[in-house]
Amino acid sequence: QQGIDRKLLENDEELGVTLQVIRLRPGRRTPVFRILASTHLWVLSGRVLMTPAGGPTYEMQQDIYAFVPNGFAFQLSNPAELLIR
């Protein structure tokens, strides 16, 4: 999806571990999605809004970590506004 960048860092099939970086450009959001594995989220910079399907929105600031259990459906968005000078 335009405005959402993904980079695969590691995929270890033997251990069943995948590591990737996702960048949401300003004002972008993912569709609601479900990852069929336990997932660790860490905000590297800026802030992210995380909205569980049918639930309230939580703000995650830079350097915040969250554990997302297997099968949990949620949406991520970047609320930063694009500044044009």
Side-chain angles (χ1 to χ4, degrees):
Q1 182 177 342
Q2 188 176 12
I4 301 173
D5 304 312
R6 292 175 33 181
K7 181 174 182 177
L8 180 65
L9 300 178
E10 179 180 0
N11 185 22
D12 187 326
E13 293 181 14
E14 187 175 319
L15 292 175
V17 173
T18 301
L19 178 62
Q20 62 182 318
V21 173
I22 300 172
R23 177 175 59 181
L24 297 174
R25 299 197 182 221
R28 300 295 181 183
R29 69 173 164 242
T30 68
V32 174
F33 65 100
R34 182 183 318 266
I35 299 174
L36 299 178
S38 295
T39 302
H40 304 271
L41 297 176
W42 182 20
V43 179
L44 299 176
S45 66
R47 63 188 181 121
V48 172
L49 300 180
M50 179 176 166
T51 306
T57 298
Y58 298 93
E59 182 174 336
M60 297 174 62
Q61 297 285 342
Q62 182 174 332
D63 294 326
I64 294 295
Y65 163 86
F67 174 79
V68 180
N70 182 357
F72 187 74
F74 61 101
Q75 178 182 56
L76 298 173
S77 62
N78 178 352
E81 296 180 15
L82 181 61
L83 299 176
I84 300 175
R85 296 178 186 195

